[in-house]
Amino acid sequence: MKFKKSLALMCAAAIGVSAVALGTGADEVNAAQTVKGNAATVNAAITKAPKYVFLFIGDGMSYPQIQLSNYYLSAVADTNNNGKVESKSNLSFMNFPVAGSAQTYDSSSFCPDSASTATSISTGNKTYSGVINMDETKTVEYETIAEKLKAQLGYKIGVVSTVNLNHATPAAFYAHQSSRKNYYEIGQEMIESGFEYYAGGGLLKPTGANGDQENLYDLAKKAGYQVVFTKADAEKLGSSTKKAIVIDETLADGDAMSYDMDLEKGEWALKDYVKKGIEVLDNDKGFFMMVEGGKVDWACHANDAASTISDTLALNEAVKEAIAFYNQHPDETLILVTGDHETGGLTIGFAGTDYDTFLTNIENQKISYAKYDSDYVAKYKENKTSFEDVLKDVQNLFGLVTSANAAQAKSEKLVLTDYEYNKLKTAYDKTMAGNKEELSQEEYVLYGTYEPLTVTITHILNNKSGVNFSSYAHTGLPVEVFAQGVGQELFEGYYDNTDIYFALAKLTGVK
């Protein structure tokens, strides 16, 4: 895997450029074209357009999330390696032949949000945080790569996400709104798009902000969509399906899909929706599928390293479905894996563990922060559960034990110090008090807007593992861009996230 300083330098040695304007995406061409991005002029040798395009976006996923997940798998696999640390490329896309890096800033900040960064990827334009596919004046709409591929080339389009289908990132491929919070209006545009396959989390505000609008699901049915709410009905979809909206059967926090680590046996994961999407979308003209691992971001906001790893690995499993398809169509397929921004300021390393990491500690966490909140913390408050009884659950679900129970610890690194014990007790008291008063600056640094007890548990386990978060929000780190397939060369180097759009546009020939 070779990194270069700039995409422009990479392309300077290119022997030619081809313009592609075709319905099937398969004709070879020799005409010269110039790929123009916001940051640089790009020249590349392109012989054909991809007929099938997969764009995977790990929301909040940058290098730290990928590397932590990779190191975690390496650590778990190497427990019998006589203490020798090794790292293998455990994630499928780490083995892609091309890797690049993209800057993520938007018109508002160097720490952008998902609406603006997804807009950059889907349209090649910068805008303000919170805005979806409109300019900074909020008067000019931008057409997305997905809309262009459907309108100009007849590609079928799929949008898949582990979070709500009218959330910011999926919306950025079909909607045009001055605010990402216009959920009902976004849902209306989703239906109007005519895209053939939507799958994932439930729609937010399906009857409008005030609950007095016609239900979006009913509108979708009137527009010819099959609206599916069960796994059994989803399994029946196939190549004869014209248009479908598939809502996950077991919605969890925020009406999104469950964190992957919380899935029960037999429940569909992200990979299953991608596999079904390929079946629905595959056709002679081609297809484009955007797949979002949205809860990587949510886990990082909550500073839950275990859930971050689990959902990053779930995205990896989804990418494997695209790779299997690529192996059947290697001369017609392009797979991209990227992020929209980094979330949480995740770091591999912590002051309390100096130069060491103890990543195998993380496998002791059996439940996401969200499920712990809903299934345990809510009951603690209702039943006024004692701290001593709470600690029993903490030991069972997170592996953390008090010094009095040190003999029961799976590792001495999981025994709570007095400092950690006192932090946990303070957080428990804060949670049980209802957290009603406004948080002080000190309390916000400790807990963010999350349950003090829950986030303190994950902080302690993270830190004992040699992992740390610096924020509950987004950061300005660049994101990875891994590429495999037709036109992969265009994605090598260091460039702006808008250049992802420009490369896709020139590869496919859309205007």
Side-chain angles (χ1 to χ4, degrees):
M1 195 176 293
K2 186 177 181 182
F3 290 82
K4 296 186 178 181
K5 289 186 177 180
S6 73
L7 185 57
L9 288 175
M10 180 275 294
C11 294
I15 59 174
V17 181
S18 300
V20 183
L22 48 111
T24 66
D27 295 340
E28 294 189 0
V29 294
N30 297 311
Q33 273 283 340
T34 299
V35 181
K36 290 187 177 180
N38 287 351
T41 297
V42 182
N43 296 300
I46 306 168
T47 57
K48 63 170 64 175
K51 182 176 177 181
Y52 311 107
V53 180
F54 295 88
L55 173 59
F56 291 88
I57 299 177
D59 199 315
M61 185 183 78
S62 181
Y63 293 102
Q65 287 73 18
I66 293 170
Q67 205 63 55
L68 176 61
S69 301
N70 181 63
Y71 283 164
Y72 170 77
L73 290 180
S74 296
V76 170
D78 293 344
T79 52
N80 297 317
N81 202 26
N82 298 319
K84 180 182 178 181
V85 172
E86 292 184 343
S87 176
K88 302 173 183 177
S89 295
N90 296 293
L91 276 62
S92 60
F93 48 84
M94 295 178 76
N95 298 299
F96 280 12
V98 169
S101 297
Q103 297 183 96
T104 63
Y105 73 94
D106 69 8
S107 302
S108 302
S109 174
F110 293 116
C111 297
D113 90 323
S114 295
S116 61
T117 52
T119 293
S120 291
I121 294 170
S122 68
T123 73
N125 293 285
K126 296 289 186 181
T127 192
Y128 290 133
S129 289
V131 178
I132 296 176
N133 296 330
M134 298 187 76
D135 73 350
E136 291 87 347
T137 69
K138 302 180 182 179
T139 59
V140 177
E141 296 183 357
Y142 299 130
E143 191 176 11
T144 74
I145 185 67
E147 292 173 313
K148 290 181 177 182
L149 287 171
K150 181 173 177 60
Q152 298 178 32
L153 302 186
Y155 281 29
K156 289 187 176 182
I157 308 296
V159 175
V160 183
S161 177
T162 56
V163 300
N164 316 91
L165 289 173
N166 55 349
H167 219 267
T169 301
F173 288 84
Y174 62 80
H176 317 80
Q177 293 290 326
S178 60
S179 172
R180 60 181 289 173
K181 294 182 180 180
N182 295 341
Y183 298 118
Y184 189 79
E185 292 77 8
I186 291 171
Q188 289 177 310
E189 289 198 76
M190 172 182 160
I191 295 164
E192 292 165 1
S193 73
F195 290 178
E196 287 77 8
Y197 182 73
Y198 288 98
L203 295 175
L204 292 168
K205 304 292 183 182
T207 56
N210 299 317
D212 56 356
Q213 300 294 314
E214 185 173 1
N215 192 293
L216 288 171
Y217 296 119
D218 293 334
L219 288 174
K221 292 175 184 177
K222 290 179 181 179
Y225 277 96
Q226 282 184 254
V227 181
V228 172
F229 294 98
T230 68
K231 172 186 168 184
D233 286 339
E235 288 173 338
K236 297 174 185 176
L237 301 176
S239 57
S240 62
T241 302
K242 289 184 168 44
K243 295 190 298 183
I245 296 173
V246 185
I247 304 301
D248 186 69
E249 185 172 13
T250 55
L251 297 178
D253 54 311
D255 278 344
M257 289 176 60
S258 296
Y259 282 97
D260 197 73
M261 70 187 305
D262 295 331
L263 291 177
E264 301 290 341
K265 185 177 180 179
E267 291 181 5
W268 270 19
L270 182 60
K271 67 176 182 179
D272 298 297
Y273 289 107
V274 172
K275 185 175 183 179
K276 179 56 66 174
I278 292 171
E279 187 180 344
V280 171
L281 296 173
D282 194 8
N283 72 100
D284 291 337
K285 286 191 175 182
F287 67 74
F288 171 90
M289 190 190 304
M290 190 290 294
V291 181
E292 182 199 21
K295 296 194 83 170
V296 175
D297 174 72
W298 291 17
C300 288
H301 275 294
N303 291 183
D304 183 345
S307 296
T308 298
I309 292 170
S310 178
D311 268 58
T312 300
L313 297 180
L315 181 66
N316 177 59
E317 292 301 312
V319 173
K320 288 181 181 178
E321 295 293 336
I323 293 173
F325 182 87
Y326 166 87
N327 289 336
Q328 296 175 343
H329 309 274
D331 298 326
E332 300 177 298
T333 305
L334 172 65
I335 306 173
L336 298 176
V337 181
T338 188
D340 50 357
H341 53 73
E342 196 276 339
T343 300
L346 175 63
T347 303
I348 305 170
F350 174 63
T353 55
D354 295 322
Y355 292 96
D356 287 326
T357 56
F358 307 97
L359 300 184
T360 54
N361 286 345
I362 295 174
E363 65 180 333
N364 289 283
Q365 183 171 330
K366 307 302 183 187
I367 190 171
S368 73
Y369 80 93
K371 192 168 181 63
Y372 183 67
D373 278 349
S374 63
D375 290 8
Y376 289 85
V377 176
K379 293 179 181 178
Y380 297 158
K381 293 179 178 180
E382 180 182 351
N383 300 328
K384 296 182 171 52
T385 306
S386 69
F387 184 56
E388 289 70 25
D389 285 338
V390 168
L391 287 174
K392 294 175 184 177
D393 289 335
V394 172
Q395 179 175 337
N396 180 48
L397 298 171
F398 298 91
L400 299 171
V401 303
T402 63
S403 57
N405 296 319
Q408 301 173 18
K410 295 182 179 180
S411 165
E412 63 179 13
K413 300 297 182 183
L414 292 167
V415 178
L416 294 168
T417 64
D418 290 343
Y419 169 73
E420 292 164 342
Y421 178 92
N422 291 331
K423 282 185 66 175
L424 198 56
K425 178 61 166 63
T426 300
Y428 161 83
D429 291 338
K430 186 73 177 173
T431 284
M432 298 302 284
N435 199 24
K436 294 178 181 179
E437 66 275 18
E438 185 176 347
L439 291 174
S440 67
Q441 181 179 359
E442 180 182 6
E443 288 169 330
Y444 179 78
V445 170
L446 288 171
Y447 313 128
T449 57
Y450 296 91
E451 278 290 356
L453 174 63
T454 308
V455 76
T456 302
I457 292 170
T458 56
H459 280 168
I460 291 172
L461 182 59
N462 297 344
N463 295 163
K464 281 183 169 296
S465 306
V467 176
N468 194 40
F469 288 88
S470 67
S471 176
Y472 301 104
H474 300 173
T475 71
L477 291 179
V479 295
E480 71 298 328
V481 185
F482 295 101
Q484 176 173 286
V486 181
Q488 62 188 30
E489 299 86 0
L490 280 179
F491 300 94
E492 187 176 14
Y494 189 89
Y495 42 88
D496 193 83
N497 58 1
T498 54
D499 286 317
I500 296 173
Y501 162 81
F502 287 107
L504 283 173
K506 287 301 176 181
L507 276 171
T508 55
V510 298
K511 305 297 182 183

